[in-house]
Amino acid sequence: MAHLARTRISPDALTFAGVTTCAIASVVVYFEYRNEILFFWVGAALFAVGSVLDILDGALARSSGKGTTFGAFLDSTTDRIGEAFMLGAIALVFARDGNDVALAFAFAAVAGSFLVSYTRARAEALGLKGDVGIGSRAERVVVITAGLVLAPWWHCLDGAIYLLTVTAWFTVVQRVLSVRSQLHSTGDSTLS
């Protein structure tokens, strides 16, 4: 990271590269019907690279001193966009295959992953700890990537989306309960 911090690369450039790579990955996944293994695997690799770039932008901002408040806001926003592109592409694959159950779970996964991020941001805006739970972004990226790599066999993409949905919503519940507990321990009298 120290070497990257000495370059002219800005954290915002990494953010843009990450979300663009994730968007390209989602387009590649959409065309999986042309060659499942090739398109799922290339999509998975691009999604992993784009997600790593999204992780590195924050680390670069902290280590180089090039970070800005707007950059932090932009980073957290584009993280959601990159993941939404991929989950949208996966939903389109399920729709094309007539897999209505997996399609419904893909929509629930999008909502759950957005709420995981929102509950953390809202808790931290209240001055509380908001990063509890088992379904953080890194775990979601691993599950999506693994699902794409294994997608040509045994309905693994379906299973990955089911797992992603359950862990995302479980994490939302964990964070809500954690915030409630933290507020209760501080003596917040507005709890019911």
Side-chain angles (χ1 to χ4, degrees):
M1 188 52 58
H3 178 68
L4 188 58
R6 285 179 291 215
T7 67
R8 294 182 149 208
I9 298 172
S10 72
D12 291 347
L14 283 182
T15 298
F16 179 75
V19 75
T20 302
T21 305
C22 286
I24 292 167
S26 67
V27 172
V28 169
V29 165
Y30 174 75
F31 288 104
E32 58 78 32
Y33 63 91
R34 295 185 177 191
N35 183 326
E36 274 190 335
I37 293 175
L38 175 66
F39 284 85
F40 274 137
W41 286 11
V42 169
L46 288 171
F47 181 67
V49 168
S51 299
V52 168
L53 290 173
D54 266 340
I55 292 168
L56 289 178
D57 60 1
L60 176 61
R62 286 185 295 277
S63 68
S64 68
K66 297 177 186 175
T68 64
T69 303
F70 179 73
F73 170 79
L74 184 66
D75 175 36
S76 62
T77 302
T78 57
D79 286 352
R80 308 297 76 78
I81 294 169
E83 193 173 340
F85 274 135
M86 182 52 72
L87 290 172
I90 291 169
L92 290 172
V93 168
F94 291 149
R96 183 173 50 234
D97 294 343
N99 190 342
D100 293 339
V101 172
L103 176 61
F105 269 84
F107 280 110
V110 171
S113 66
F114 280 18
L115 280 172
V116 166
S117 301
Y118 177 78
T119 52
R120 177 179 180 166
R122 191 66 187 119
E124 291 174 354
L126 295 171
L128 303 170
K129 181 178 170 151
D131 61 352
V132 301
I134 61 170
S136 68
R137 182 156 192 274
E139 286 83 7
R140 293 193 310 269
V141 167
V142 168
V143 169
I144 292 169
T145 303
L148 290 170
V149 168
L150 299 174
W153 305 284
W154 313 297
H155 297 284
C156 287
L157 189 55
D158 303 33
I161 294 302
Y162 300 153
L163 176 63
L164 180 73
T165 303
V166 169
T167 57
W169 282 97
F170 186 76
T171 302
V172 169
V173 171
Q174 284 181 298
R175 290 184 177 181
V176 168
L177 293 175
S178 172
V179 166
R180 188 177 201 296
S181 175
Q182 290 174 69
L183 289 172
H184 187 268
S185 69
T186 63
D188 189 319
S189 61
T190 59
L191 289 175
S192 55

